[in-house]
Amino acid sequence: MPGISQPLVQVIEVHKTYPLGHRSVEALRGVTLEMPQGGFVVLQGPSGSGKTTLLNLVGAIDHPTSGRVLVEGRDMAAWPDDALSHFRAKTLGFIFQNFNLIPVLSAVENIEYPLLLQRVPRAEARARALEMAEGVGLGDSSDQRPGELSGGQCQRVAIGRALVTHPALVIADEPTANLDAATGRTIIDLMHRMRDCTGATFVISTHDPEIASMAEARFTLRDGRLVEP
Ligand SMILES: Nc1ncnc2c1ncn2[C@@H]1O[C@H](COP(=O)(O)OP(=O)(O)OP(=O)(O)O)[C@@H](O)[C@H]1O
Ligand SMILES: [Mg+2]
């Protein structure tokens, strides 16, 4: 278990280089930062500055070229795939710009899905998913499919799906990019509320300065380096 004072995420002198034909792209050039447990952290910066690259490293979707990324004090770089999958399912929740919901499942079935993958018994999974649907404000829309929901409602479903497994860390790459400004604010408010009641750490990326200003910790990337906002 991490100690009280240990940050949930530590990024230490991380470089990430992508091969691109005969050239290579230096997406991150020596990034060092910490994310506190229970924090609401925002990554901002212009297009191409390295936000998605950094989130992918924190979520162990990809590994650094050099440097280290620790989550709960653990470096996943050398872990075998099955250990990584287990860690991701247990510790991480992901929220996507395009929601990534399963179109043939209802809202509550989408929220329930990760629990069924974890072999939680059906009745318990359904009860937890219904409670979560209520918690994210879906109300009467729980039985509707994504195609019948607004963008804001779809993102509520995605937030419920990310949180239903009780992750320590929720990673959201531009979660408001496909929403109008007012709906985007509501979704960020909801994430803050869910952070308050679950204690999960949230890290999101955004282009929106107003959303960035709602964060407790803000990191600004430019050309793969951290800069002052
Ligand atoms: N798989 C890849 N192969 C080659 N280059 C990549 C790859 N992924 C990202 N890059 C490059 O790495 C740099 C950082 O990209 P990244 O997607 O992290 O930026 P971003 O800040 O998320 O941008 P945006 O705001 O547009 O989403 C860019 O120059 C991009 O072209
Ligand atoms: Mg991006």
Side-chain angles (χ1 to χ4, degrees):
M1 287 294 288
I4 296 289
S5 60
Q6 187 185 42
L8 185 73
V9 178
Q10 294 162 276
V11 175
I12 304 162
E13 217 15 68
V14 160
H15 291 252
K16 179 68 186 180
T17 305
Y18 295 108
L20 193 66
H22 297 297
R23 300 186 303 115
S24 58
V25 181
E26 279 188 83
L28 295 175
R29 306 166 189 241
V31 172
T32 297
L33 56 80
E34 290 184 347
M35 299 181 190
Q37 294 209 37
F40 201 98
V41 179
V42 164
L43 296 182
Q44 63 177 2
S47 191
S49 59
K51 302 182 295 298
T52 297
T53 301
L54 183 54
L55 289 178
N56 287 345
L57 299 181
V58 171
I61 290 167
D62 203 352
H63 298 308
T65 308
S66 68
R68 304 206 308 150
V69 177
L70 309 182
V71 178
E72 294 182 331
R74 286 174 284 188
D75 184 345
M76 293 156 280
W79 290 14
D81 283 348
D82 54 342
L84 257 184
S85 305
H86 180 73
F87 178 82
R88 262 198 230 107
K90 203 169 124 291
T91 310
L92 305 180
F94 292 93
I95 296 169
F96 303 93
Q97 179 177 333
N98 299 320
F99 321 128
N100 283 16
L101 301 176
I102 301 173
V104 296
L105 300 183
S106 70
V108 74
E109 287 166 346
N110 267 281
I111 295 175
E112 176 184 56
Y113 191 65
L115 295 175
L116 297 180
L117 289 181
Q118 291 186 4
R119 303 192 190 286
V120 172
R122 266 183 188 277
E124 184 194 336
R126 178 52 59 99
R128 280 169 63 180
L130 281 169
E131 190 183 340
M132 184 55 75
E134 193 68 36
V136 296
L138 280 165
D140 295 339
S141 310
S142 295
D143 292 330
Q144 287 168 236
R145 293 181 181 184
E148 302 160 343
L149 298 172
S150 69
Q153 286 172 319
C154 285
Q155 203 54 304
R156 287 173 191 271
V157 178
I159 292 168
R161 180 183 57 182
L163 286 170
V164 77
T165 51
H166 303 143
L169 177 63
V170 178
I171 296 173
D173 194 4
E174 308 216 29
T176 61
N178 285 340
L179 304 173
D180 65 71
T183 308
R185 306 285 178 281
T186 318
I187 288 298
I188 298 296
D189 279 341
L190 172 64
M191 288 186 183
H192 270 97
R193 268 208 313 285
M194 299 310 284
R195 187 282 308 266
D196 291 343
C197 62
T198 62
T201 303
F202 277 72
V203 52
I204 72 169
S205 70
T206 185
H207 279 109
D208 184 333
E210 197 181 322
I211 284 176
S213 73
M214 294 161 78
E216 291 157 2
R218 187 173 3 166
F219 298 105
T220 307
L221 283 166
R222 197 171 298 269
D223 290 331
R225 290 194 177 88
L226 283 181
V227 296
E228 292 301 314

